Amino acid sequence: RIPFKIGQPKKQIVPKTVERDFEREYGKLQQLEEQTKRLQKDMKKSTDADLAMSKSAVKISLDLLSNPLCEQDQDFLNMVTALDTAMKRMDAFNQEKVNQIQKTVIEPLKKFGSVFPSLNMAVKRREQALQDYRRLQAKVEKYEEKEKTGPVLAKLHQAREELRPVREDFEAKNKQLLDEMPRFYGSRLDYFQPSFESLIRAQVVYYSEMHKIFGDLTQQLDQPGHSDEQRERENEAKLSELRALSIVADD
């Protein structure tokens, strides 16, 4: 932690237990900061991907509607129209879900993360106060070790006067952080629990709606017909015919 040892006091000015407590509490908050940033980033990526998915699904149905195939086959047009309606409903509910997540999860994550810069600055100020405390303590010790002449005693008195407010400043900063860091860390549960309850509710509502939308679509399309395996075999047969035509054309 200390880049150089010049002017370090011999006296242990901060008990090792206090320093260990401080480093432990600050370490927990550094980890929390990193995890909060990662979670915010992952939530944003997730909602962006959700929106891209439903927008792509709407575009596919629109592309199918404008395909010449639909002009020739009313049944196919009816099927694609039903798909287009379902995709637009899906996109609308998806947008609603993403807006809810943005408001109740991503924004609170961002606000929580905005506290860390001021915390880190307070830790830097405490570190600077500690360096000043060490430097002046070393200065006092230097005069205490010298022969007690008049000038030395005057300098010792002056050094002790300089040390007192610096020591008090460090002790105040240290106490405040040791009090506030565990409280802030402990507050994370009460802060985030409503956000993640909202996230779960938004997902439940969305997927319940998707179940209805695709259930309706299934009923519209579920006419007696071939199985997927039969359709696959028919498609392969038709594709073979097309290949044969292209080979004839090339010849």
Side-chain angles (χ1 to χ4, degrees), residues 219-237:
Q219 285 182 345
Q220 288 176 274
L221 304 181
D222 220 9
Q223 298 166 351
H226 297 321
S227 67
D228 288 343
E229 290 79 8
Q230 286 172 311
R231 289 194 181 95
E232 194 174 340
R233 284 198 296 273
E234 284 180 9
N235 284 342
E236 282 299 325

Side-chain angles (χ1 to χ4, degrees), residues 18-26 126 177-178 181:
V18 171
E19 200 63 23
R20 273 200 302 271
D21 287 347
F22 184 88
E23 288 180 1
R24 183 188 66 245
E25 294 301 329
Y26 186 45
R126 182 248 188 209
L177 280 166
L178 281 173
M181 287 193 299

Side-chain angles (χ1 to χ4, degrees), residues 178-197:
L178 281 173
D179 287 345
E180 290 181 0
M181 287 193 299
R183 282 215 306 272
F184 177 62
Y185 187 76
S187 73
R188 73 200 187 286
L189 297 176
D190 288 339
Y191 183 86
F192 283 122
Q193 189 171 331
S195 287
F196 292 109
E197 284 176 1

Side-chain angles (χ1 to χ4, degrees), residues 148-173:
K148 301 297 186 288
T149 62
V152 168
L153 287 170
K155 286 178 180 177
L156 175 59
H157 175 72
Q158 185 183 353
R160 282 174 176 163
E161 288 298 305
E162 288 175 19
L163 174 63
R164 189 186 308 111
V166 170
R167 182 180 63 238
E168 288 170 359
D169 180 50
F170 166 75
E171 286 172 352
K173 285 181 168 65

Side-chain angles (χ1 to χ4, degrees), residues 58-73:
V58 169
K59 185 158 190 326
I60 288 168
S61 63
L62 286 172
D63 288 346
L64 282 170
L65 280 174
S66 63
N67 192 295
L69 285 167
C70 288
E71 296 170 9
Q72 299 162 13
D73 190 324

Side-chain angles (χ1 to χ4, degrees), residues 209-220:
E209 293 297 339
M210 290 311 98
H211 181 72
K212 290 179 197 169
I213 288 168
F214 285 95
D216 292 347
L217 184 60
T218 301
Q219 285 182 345
Q220 288 176 274

Side-chain angles (χ1 to χ4, degrees), residues 32-48 101-102 105-114 116 192 196:
L32 181 60
E33 179 182 17
E34 182 57 37
Q35 289 169 338
T36 302
K37 281 180 184 171
R38 193 182 310 137
L39 191 55
Q40 185 189 339
K41 189 177 174 184
D42 289 345
M43 286 300 308
K44 182 73 169 62
K45 278 166 70 176
S46 173
T47 53
D48 286 349
I101 291 171
Q102 177 69 33
V105 183
I106 296 175
E107 285 301 323
L109 276 168
K110 195 174 175 183
K111 285 174 184 171
F112 191 79
S114 70
F116 288 102
F192 283 122
F196 292 109

